[in-house]
Amino acid sequence: GQQLNQSPQSMFIQEGEDVSMNCTSSSIFNTWLWYKQDPGEGPVLLIALYKAGELTSNGRLTAQFGITRKDSFLNISASIPSDVGIYFCAGQLGGGATNKLIFGTGTLLAVQP
Amino acid sequence: NAGVMQNPRHLVRRRGQEARLRCSPMKGHSHVYWYRQLPEEGLKFMVYLQKENIIDESGMPKERFSAEFPKEGPSILRIQQVVRGDSAAYFCASSPTGRSSPLHFGNGTRLTVT
């Protein structure tokens, strides 16, 4: 099935560092979302983006919806140990039968105190 | 907590048995989605249902898998005659509408086939 290309695959950083990850697609999406998944849990929604070019923040997290509608990035500033987890981007065409999400391959983030 | 509820959290089945996974969406949500996640992989879409209707089943295997979301009660994902390759985490998500609304996920059912 279709998947989004997410990079990097994994990141190992020191506490306090900033983090950046991105997601690209060959298809256009109308909505981009970023989720975080902890071990043994379901994905938790972090940020939702609805318009091309939109830049949205949620605390230390900032995400942007690419102008081409084929990409998005997520930045985490001043990382802390509880940021550890797997981050997934997801694209959504929206509307009726296409409301399903297509997920990226994930970025594993490890933060060393 | 009015989140998406899935049960059981863990399910062990022998090859050839049937697995039934249940999902109760968030209150007020009438759209349900099922996803499968293999170890160290992303989530793969399986099926999208609205009350009593299957909207999109493009990710469902053609055989042994079925899903329903009745007027009353939870959504059910059924896997008949399970095989070892069915071992995975199955996540349910719900949304209030079918138009560009974010999906909220449950904590999944981890199916192990022995």
Side-chain angles (χ1 to χ4, degrees), chain A residues 36-78:
Chain A
K36 182 188 177 212
Q37 186 177 28
D38 291 329
E41 312 258 328
V44 174
L45 180 65
L46 298 174
I47 291 181
L49 303 153
Y50 298 102
K51 281 173 56 176
E54 178 181 354
L55 185 71
T56 297
S57 292
N58 178 7
R60 294 177 297 105
L61 277 60
T62 301
Q64 183 156 33
F65 190 147
I67 290 178
T68 64
R69 291 160 61 193
K70 292 184 177 181
D71 63 313
S72 176
F73 72 74
L74 174 71
N75 287 341
I76 305 173
S77 62

Side-chain angles (χ1 to χ4, degrees), chain A:
Chain A
Q2 184 184 5
Q3 264 198 320
L4 305 178
N5 295 314
Q6 194 171 336
S7 64
Q9 198 171 18
S10 59
M11 301 181 74
F12 299 88
I13 62 171
Q14 297 281 337
E15 183 177 359
E17 287 185 25
D18 296 343
V19 169
S20 185
M21 58 191 80
N22 66 67
C23 205
T24 59
S25 169
S26 56
S27 305
I28 289 174
F29 290 105
N30 291 323
T31 302
W32 281 91
L33 305 113
W34 285 91
Y35 288 84
K36 182 188 177 212
Q37 186 177 28
D38 291 329
E41 312 258 328
V44 174
L45 180 65
L46 298 174
I47 291 181
L49 303 153
Y50 298 102
K51 281 173 56 176
E54 178 181 354
L55 185 71
T56 297
S57 292
N58 178 7
R60 294 177 297 105
L61 277 60
T62 301
Q64 183 156 33
F65 190 147
I67 290 178
T68 64
R69 291 160 61 193
K70 292 184 177 181
D71 63 313
S72 176
F73 72 74
L74 174 71
N75 287 341
I76 305 173
S77 62
S79 58
I80 58 178
S82 62
D83 290 335
V84 164
I86 303 177
Y87 291 79
F88 289 101
C89 62
Q92 187 179 52
L93 283 171
T98 54
N99 202 44
K100 66 189 180 191
L101 295 180
I102 306 298
F103 277 85
T105 47
T107 295
L108 171 65
L109 177 63
V111 179
Q112 186 168 0

Side-chain angles (χ1 to χ4, degrees), chain A residues 3 30-31 33 35 37 40-43 45 48 50 88 92-97 99-105, chain B residues 9 33 35 37 41-45 48 55-56 58 91 95 97-107 110:
Chain A
Q3 264 198 320
N30 291 323
T31 302
L33 305 113
Y35 288 84
Q37 186 177 28
E41 312 258 328
L45 180 65
Y50 298 102
F88 289 101
Q92 187 179 52
L93 283 171
N99 202 44
K100 66 189 180 191
L101 295 180
I102 306 298
F103 277 85
T105 47
Chain B
R9 286 297 304 271
Y33 312 76
Y35 283 78
Q37 185 177 36
E41 291 193 10
L43 287 86
K44 301 284 181 63
F45 169 78
Y48 164 29
I55 307 300
D56 182 348
S58 58
F91 289 96
S95 66
T97 72
R99 294 190 175 275
S100 297
S101 49
L103 276 59
H104 298 268
F105 285 82
N107 280 328
R110 275 141 192 87

Side-chain angles (χ1 to χ4, degrees), chain B residues 4-19:
Chain B
V4 178
M5 302 301 294
Q6 288 187 252
N7 67 82
R9 286 297 304 271
H10 300 275
L11 181 62
V12 179
R13 285 287 177 266
R14 291 193 180 132
R15 278 181 297 171
Q17 290 185 320
E18 178 179 283

